[in-house]
Amino acid sequence: MARPANPPYTLGKITMTPHPTLASQVQARGYFNDGNGKRREVTASGRSEAAARRSLQSKVQSARTDHRGGDESLRHDTTVSRAADVWLEWKRRQKTRGKPLAAQTIYDYEGYVRRCVAGSVLADLPLTKANDVSRIEAWLADIADNRGETAAKQSRKVLGGVLSLAERRGAIPASVMHRVQMPGSKAGSVGDRKCTDEECDYECGKRHLDTRRAFTPEEVSAVMEVAEASAADIADIAAFLFGTGVRISEALRYVSWSDVDLDARTVRVRGTKTENADRVLTLADDLCERLRQRASLHGTRGLVFGVTRYASKAGQPRDRNNVSKSLRRVFAKAGVPWAGTHTFRRTVATWLDANGAALAEIANQLGHADTNVTANYLGRTGTPTRAASVMVLPIAQPTQHAV
């Protein structure tokens, strides 16, 4: 039976010999396995065997702290900025259940690398030095103060992916991201997305969202009335979001005219999140009629809600931020400044739930892979009590015995 290997950074047999060049010095020699399992030789000297042994052990401990490893693309001394590029290339090649990641997901990752990683205080640090809790939390706090807490959360996700890949390649011993805590934005900072100005014109860049609310029928009517009066064709988008509950990114980038069957009153939504997000939804008659009018006005080339203002770009993706700004103006004029694009989605889920739709049906409508996500989305916090009345053992019939 083979002898088990020593744990990493543990010296095996140590040999002592007179130093070849330094008189009265003893040289100690030994071997150890590094974090990648590679056998390494180490030597040290001292005036005595005990001193040489201590020096040898000190070198091994330093090697544990000053980790060296990795492969051709990721090493211990690779900068975070370069490592982020390697990680992006890996995400472009990655497949989940045989399918590559959605183009929108890759686009979002590239944006956070460009805005929050490149040029930051971590960008030029080697991976072994950037893999530090205090440095990472300070970096996240700066992002939260200047770009908002959502940007900080997404940046944490990106850096976590970078360090996880570096760990798998042996460039760092282990990622510290599981110990990193998310900071909130400092009150009053640019990233503090809360506005307390009662006379705000809603153009301040702050967030007025209430993510727990859904539209009432009266509020939907007010929103659509204002949207119809808007100069842009924002009413069509608002009606589609209200009628389907799709994500704004799905409506703008993943619904083509080839996915719409107005005769069958269906639309295929090529989702952005999970396999369940690719789904076929039924359209109401009034929404079908609106889409027919849109087709007659703007044609059926490319995306349903693509560019319409410029003929040369007809059907191409339009800027999501500009659409969101237009909708925020509509919400403010309609008296619902707390609403956001996701409020349409929550409204669909809430109204379906109120009308007795099963949780699985709501999940399929929204494109959720897990009904638990849908339940949390609806804020279901009721205490389960039905089992107490259903799961009752049958009463056994007493056996009669003759006396």
Side-chain angles (χ1 to χ4, degrees):
M1 181 175 177
R3 186 180 66 180
N6 287 332
Y9 302 102
T10 301
L11 279 167
K13 182 180 178 180
I14 299 175
T15 60
M16 298 288 181
T17 58
H19 199 282
T21 58
L22 298 176
S24 71
Q25 292 278 321
V26 178
Q27 187 179 66
R29 183 186 305 272
Y31 294 87
F32 68 94
N33 292 330
D34 63 15
N36 297 319
K38 185 175 181 180
R39 190 168 183 259
R40 295 186 178 275
E41 180 185 21
V42 61
T43 61
S45 60
R47 291 184 176 278
S48 64
E49 289 189 359
R53 184 184 297 272
R54 288 194 299 270
S55 180
L56 192 70
Q57 292 171 337
S58 177
K59 279 192 173 184
V60 174
Q61 292 303 314
S62 296
R64 178 195 294 271
T65 304
D66 186 20
H67 176 84
R68 294 178 181 275
D71 56 16
E72 293 81 2
S73 57
L74 279 181
R75 292 170 40 83
H76 60 279
D77 54 357
T78 302
T79 64
V80 172
S81 182
R82 170 58 187 158
D85 292 336
V86 174
W87 176 76
L88 281 175
E89 182 58 32
W90 172 253
K91 299 304 285 187
R92 296 185 187 103
R93 297 164 61 94
Q94 183 179 342
K95 289 188 176 182
T96 303
R97 296 179 181 178
K99 295 182 178 180
L101 297 182
Q104 181 64 40
T105 301
I106 299 298
Y107 178 80
D108 290 341
Y109 284 155
E110 291 172 342
Y112 281 111
V113 167
R114 182 176 62 255
R115 293 188 298 270
C116 299
V117 177
S120 70
V121 294
L122 298 183
D124 296 327
L125 289 179
L127 286 168
T128 49
K129 291 189 179 297
N131 188 37
D132 178 83
V133 173
S134 61
R135 278 196 174 103
I136 294 172
E137 288 185 349
W139 170 70
L140 291 174
D142 182 67
I143 295 174
D145 289 345
N146 290 281
R147 294 186 176 273
E149 294 179 12
T150 299
K153 289 178 181 178
Q154 294 301 318
S155 298
R156 183 187 190 279
K157 182 178 180 180
V158 167
L159 183 62
V162 172
L163 294 181
S164 178
L165 179 62
E167 178 184 343
R168 296 198 303 273
R169 301 282 180 87
I172 57 176
S175 170
V176 300
M177 291 304 293
H178 67 284
R179 293 165 47 204
V180 172
Q181 297 186 4
M182 277 302 306
S185 55
K186 185 178 180 181
S189 65
V190 175
D192 180 21
R193 303 294 185 175
K194 297 181 180 64
C195 181
T196 57
D197 184 2
E198 295 182 357
E199 299 181 358
C200 180
D201 58 2
Y202 305 109
E203 295 290 340
C204 62
K206 298 289 186 178
R207 302 288 279 181
H208 299 269
L209 288 179
D210 185 342
T211 58
R212 297 166 298 178
R213 292 177 63 177
F215 287 133
T216 65
E218 294 76 17
E219 288 168 340
V220 170
S221 298
V223 168
M224 291 307 303
E225 183 179 349
V226 175
E228 295 287 5
S230 175
D233 59 343
I234 206 68
D236 289 348
I237 297 176
F240 189 79
L241 294 177
F242 171 72
T244 60
V246 301
R247 302 172 179 89
I248 183 69
S249 58
E250 292 174 334
L252 294 180
R253 289 181 171 269
Y254 296 94
V255 178
S256 299
W257 280 111
S258 58
D259 298 317
V260 179
D261 187 338
L262 295 178
D263 293 329
R265 296 170 50 242
T266 62
V267 58
R268 180 184 178 185
V269 181
R270 303 174 187 273
T272 60
K273 294 287 186 178
T274 64
E275 186 175 347
N276 291 52
D278 191 336
R279 57 208 187 274
V280 176
L281 304 177
T282 302
L283 302 175
D285 291 336
D286 59 340
L287 183 53
C288 284
E289 182 58 31
R290 181 181 286 273
L291 291 178
R292 285 193 181 91
Q293 294 178 8
R294 182 176 182 82
S296 65
L297 288 173
H298 306 296
T300 56
R301 188 197 314 174
L303 297 171
V304 174
F305 300 105
V307 175
T308 58
R309 181 170 297 182
Y310 306 102
S312 60
K313 298 182 178 181
Q316 295 183 21
R318 63 200 297 173
D319 188 83
R320 174 178 167 178
N321 290 330
N322 289 340
V323 173
S324 296
K325 287 179 182 178
S326 297
L327 282 170
R328 284 202 297 271
R329 296 189 191 99
V330 169
F331 296 147
K333 291 180 181 179
V336 288
W338 49 267
T341 57
H342 238 54
T343 306
F344 290 109
R345 188 167 167 80
R346 183 171 297 279
T347 300
V348 171
T350 303
W351 287 20
L352 284 175
D353 189 41
N355 281 272
L359 201 58
E361 181 184 351
I362 303 173
N364 290 336
Q365 182 75 31
L366 300 182
H368 287 161
D370 188 350
T371 54
N372 288 325
V373 175
T374 310
N376 291 333
Y377 202 78
L378 291 167
R380 289 191 178 181
T381 58
T383 303
T385 59
R386 189 174 301 184
S389 60
V390 174
M391 307 307 293
V392 179
L393 289 172
I395 299 175
Q397 295 296 326
T399 305
Q400 296 182 356
H401 299 281
V403 178

